[in-house]
Amino acid sequence: MVPVDQEADVPSTRRDAKNALFDGFGRIAAALGSGRRAEIVEVLAQGERSVEQVATEIDQSVANTSHHLRTLARAGLVASRREGTHVHYRLASDKVLEVWLAVRGLAAEQLAELDALADAYLGDRSQIDEIDREELLARLEHGDVVVIDVRPTGEYAAGHLPGAISVPPEEIDELLDELPADREIVAYCRGPYCVYADDAIRRLAAHGRSARRLREGVPEWRRLGGPVEVSAPGPRPDGG
Amino acid sequence: MVPVDQEADVPSTRRDAKNALFDGFGRIAAALGSGRRAEIVEVLAQGERSVEQVATEIDQSVANTSHHLRTLARAGLVASRREGTHVHYRLASDKVLEVWLAVRGLAAEQLAELDALADAYLGDRSQIDEIDREELLARLEHGDVVVIDVRPTGEYAAGHLPGAISVPPEEIDELLDELPADREIVAYCRGPYCVYADDAIRRLAAHGRSARRLREGVPEWRRLGGPVEVSAPGPRPDGG
DNA sequence: CCATTTCTCAAACAATCGCTTGAATGGATG
DNA sequence: CATCCATTCAAGCGATTGTTTGAGAAATGG
């Protein structure tokens, strides 16, 4: 009766239903389809944040940020929690990270101009050696490597690679001398499109120290089952 | 989008560069952010198609379909190949399937109204038993199950589950009696949002035969490394 | 050469989106 | 209770999107 027919003679409630269904899928993708919202997801992948914190990180007005967050919430990508006067947003599910990483990876692979855009933001990366998760895990076993976490202290406290030393971006120069001179340095931060590690490695290079950059950020590391240490229960995740 | 120069203008500040970079990621997601384009991706996940074939499958004009395909191509999600007067489009990379499946999965998990939309398109599924990949693989070893492929013959020929019998949607009723009466039937088609298997199972049920539906479609099956058989070289598989 | 098939492009429209501004909401605090 | 604050809402603008229509371009066959 109603097998394969796609003709117009049944102006197809079924066709309308299919449209509605796929519009549903489209809504999810469309929610990520703005650069600012993509940025918000990247920020929230690091952990829960208040509206104002998100607004500061993405350099947008609070009203606009709130608007974007509500759009993301309507599409089911983020969830919120009220604490006093603050509303904290977080990714609604691990699958949001899956989607975001898949989109980011596809962009890196397929978008020709992305390399140029990344260079414009991060600077020329051709001089920066990378190290991947597997190699670092192997190195960690031998103990011949120093890992530095170049993120704000709050994020370090919320979870960092085992044994990593917290070197917040603004303190690189002071802490530089305390790094053991006889071991290789590996720096990591939020992920492959985060400036902190690149900046730190360039700073180190300017002081004659060579360092490599961990390809993965903390969200990717965690997702692949990499070990994570959490600092003393005292300091709150986002230093509020 | 953002009132930022879209052209090859070099952004001046780091913030502008970051905006441009994330707008790049956003473009990928935005390409999937229309229901019609999502549908196109779902179609192309099944294999290469000409513009006209895509247009027919999604019930849109050729011009509009061509327009959407170009949008997808500009975002790097699909690639094309000319053969005579026909232009064949295909997914540009396996990562496109990753993104699409991630988006679809997230929608299923997070979008509250999606169940209702799916029911409206596919009909009530509560009576339809599912079987997943792992269980089917185990059952196939014991050989106590008949697998039917309820897709158009061309897609069957391009690749199907090992031992599956081709039962095109319009031939269910004729082929029904040829199915062994003493073994359980498992039907599969393009994926979880494809009507063919559901329709077939309802038809079978109306004839007193019970059948289960494979949760995965062929793209998902293949992606997870499931074995696939290709028919005689007659009808060409998707070129690749 | 012309005619046909198949696809793409261009113009146009209503609808939607991103961002801003200014006012309103809803908890917390005194 | 009034006051403060973080957040959200509402209105408005310019820009972008999805679709249609009709014309243009590329390969094929006579």
Side-chain angles (χ1 to χ4, degrees), chain B residues 65-86:
Chain B
T65 302
S66 170
H67 181 65
H68 280 310
L69 283 165
R70 296 244 51 85
T71 300
L72 287 168
R74 231 177 296 122
L77 300 205
V78 306
S80 62
R81 168 179 77 83
R82 174 151 221 147
E83 189 175 291
T85 62
H86 292 260

Side-chain angles (χ1 to χ4, degrees), chain A residues 2-71:
Chain A
V2 196
V4 206
D5 211 358
Q6 294 159 344
E7 320 294 316
D9 63 351
V10 184
S12 294
T13 57
R14 204 170 219 195
R15 167 43 55 183
D16 290 340
K18 191 171 188 183
N19 281 355
L21 175 61
F22 278 82
D23 283 347
F25 297 134
R27 265 205 297 287
I28 296 276
L32 269 174
S34 126
R36 245 37 54 221
R37 286 198 296 270
E39 228 180 307
I40 289 177
V41 170
E42 171 92 343
V43 167
L44 293 183
Q46 309 299 322
E48 202 181 57
R49 294 288 139 87
S50 73
V51 176
E52 192 179 23
Q53 287 175 320
V54 174
T56 304
E57 291 234 38
I58 69 171
D59 275 315
Q60 296 288 310
S61 70
V62 170
N64 190 25
T65 302
S66 170
H67 182 65
H68 280 311
L69 282 166
R70 296 245 52 85
T71 301

Side-chain angles (χ1 to χ4, degrees), chain B residues 63-231:
Chain B
N64 191 25
T65 302
S66 170
H67 181 65
H68 280 310
L69 283 165
R70 296 244 51 85
T71 300
L72 287 168
R74 231 177 296 122
L77 300 205
V78 306
S80 62
R81 168 179 77 83
R82 174 151 221 147
E83 189 175 291
T85 62
H86 292 260
V87 175
H88 295 265
Y89 281 84
R90 64 184 180 278
L91 298 190
S93 134
D94 286 346
K95 292 201 172 164
V96 179
L97 186 60
E98 298 290 323
V99 170
W100 167 238
L101 294 179
V103 166
R104 210 180 61 185
L106 178 57
E109 182 192 86
Q110 291 291 327
L111 260 185
E113 70 267 33
L114 203 89
D115 285 340
L117 292 173
D119 276 4
Y121 173 49
L122 300 161
D124 179 20
R125 277 184 152 177
S126 58
Q127 304 303 319
I128 296 182
D129 272 350
E130 281 198 341
I131 179 173
D132 66 16
R133 182 175 161 273
E134 316 237 319
E135 191 181 348
L136 179 57
L137 281 171
R139 290 296 211 93
L140 283 175
E141 297 227 339
H142 288 77
D144 59 342
V145 67
V146 184
V147 180
I148 62 175
D149 180 314
V150 201
R151 298 177 301 161
T153 51
E155 292 173 39
Y156 174 86
H160 52 263
L161 267 58
I165 302 170
S166 176
V167 182
E170 65 278 9
E171 292 175 32
I172 282 276
D173 292 310
E174 298 96 272
L175 296 177
L176 199 149
D177 297 327
E178 298 176 22
L179 297 174
D182 56 337
R183 287 193 286 170
E184 196 190 358
I185 301 172
V186 168
Y188 72 89
C189 52
R190 291 173 172 177
Y193 297 97
C194 171
V195 290
Y196 296 144
D198 286 303
D199 288 350
I201 289 170
R202 291 202 187 87
R203 206 80 58 81
L204 289 167
H207 285 74
R209 298 293 312 260
S210 85
R212 291 210 276 170
R213 178 193 172 105
L214 178 63
R215 188 185 313 256
E216 288 86 12
V218 173
E220 297 91 331
W221 176 273
R222 201 174 225 146
R223 167 171 167 267
L224 294 172
V228 167
E229 265 177 22
V230 175
S231 293

Side-chain angles (χ1 to χ4, degrees), chain A residues 170-184:
Chain A
E170 65 278 9
E171 292 174 32
I172 283 275
D173 292 310
E174 297 96 273
L175 296 178
L176 201 149
D177 297 328
E178 299 176 20
L179 298 174
D182 57 335
R183 287 194 286 169
E184 196 191 359

Side-chain angles (χ1 to χ4, degrees), chain B residues 20-42:
Chain B
L21 175 62
F22 277 82
D23 283 347
F25 297 134
R27 265 206 296 286
I28 296 276
L32 269 173
S34 128
R36 244 37 55 220
R37 286 197 295 271
E39 228 180 308
I40 290 177
V41 170
E42 171 91 344

